[in-house]
Amino acid sequence: MLESVAVEAPGSVAAQHRAGRVAVGRALRRAGSPVTVVGRRRSGAPVGPDGFPASVTHTPEIAVAAVAPGVRGVGVDLEPRCPDPRLHRFLLDDRERASLWPDGDPAGLRRLFAAKEAAFKALTDCDRAHGGLFWRVRLYRHEGRLWARAGDRFALVEDLVTPLFAFAVAVGADPPPGLPDAWSRRRPGTVPGRPLQAITKSSVSPKN
């Protein structure tokens, strides 16, 4: 489930966090959670009620929350600005650069930035693999879909790209059959076959 809430002008950090809390509460309610208040990790990331993982992203204009009942983790990210192209040096490894960013365009880098941020949030408990650094989450394309990996955990990433923003949602999932051997390790507790069935992008409409 996705919910978006406009941020009160002038878009202060406090206002963004307030809008994020409202968005998370609404998403939890729509998802059927009896609890609509979330805790927070030391990093500031939301901690949803048991069985209702939650994630939130915000800009000075809008906050968006995602809740995915029954999966191990969910992540969401919204990027209205293109990052400095020089960031590709640490954001992408050589394989990602060749397979996912062949044109070297700023909008493409923004898309991958959002995908990695969302995947990092969905795989936030894999700190032994990524060390708390979102760019260490690795992205792969397999049969037309974008996957992320941190250690032996995987997330499926869906995105929405417009001239104004890049938006991504990632949900923890077992990898599909047919991946290369290096991908084949699976960890109990992820949910095969239903990575994004409870999520729709239709409720996201950032406004500038």
Side-chain angles (χ1 to χ4, degrees):
M1 300 293 177
L2 291 180
E3 283 287 345
S4 59
V5 173
V7 176
E8 296 177 3
S12 67
V13 172
Q16 293 178 45
H17 286 301
R18 285 195 299 271
R21 288 193 295 271
V22 173
V24 171
R26 291 179 180 175
L28 285 168
R29 190 176 299 109
R30 284 185 58 205
S33 172
V35 178
T36 58
V37 178
V38 296
R40 300 190 74 81
R41 301 179 189 271
R42 285 187 296 178
S43 65
V47 179
D50 288 345
F52 293 87
S55 180
V56 65
T57 184
H58 39 67
T59 73
E61 290 81 31
I62 193 169
V64 182
V67 173
V71 302
R72 183 159 189 161
V74 63
V76 62
D77 191 59
L78 175 65
E79 296 293 335
R81 298 181 181 84
C82 290
D84 186 325
R86 293 174 294 183
L87 293 180
H88 79 86
R89 296 171 185 170
F90 70 85
L91 181 66
L92 306 175
D93 65 14
D94 290 342
R95 178 195 53 77
E96 290 170 321
R97 200 175 292 112
S99 63
L100 301 176
W101 196 54
D103 297 331
D105 59 307
L109 189 62
R110 176 175 61 180
R111 179 190 183 195
L112 297 174
F113 191 104
K116 285 212 173 192
E117 277 276 16
F120 172 76
K121 294 175 182 179
L123 302 170
T124 191
D125 59 346
C126 301
D127 53 351
R128 288 188 178 181
H130 53 55
L133 302 173
F134 80 93
W135 59 85
R136 289 184 176 173
V137 172
R138 301 271 69 99
L139 296 177
Y140 305 80
R141 188 167 296 283
H142 177 71
E143 297 183 351
R145 308 198 78 173
L146 189 62
W147 287 84
R149 178 177 181 176
D152 60 357
R153 290 271 306 284
F154 296 83
L156 181 59
V157 184
E158 295 283 355
D159 60 12
L160 174 66
V161 179
T162 79
L164 297 178
F165 63 88
F167 175 76
V169 179
V171 176
D174 281 347
L179 288 176
D181 290 342
W183 283 55
S184 62
R185 289 176 298 165
R186 292 172 54 177
R187 179 169 178 169
T190 53
V191 179
R194 59 162 303 213
L196 294 179
Q197 76 178 54
I199 293 182
T200 173
K201 292 182 284 193
S202 62
S203 61
V204 181
S205 53
K207 298 179 176 62
N208 291 334

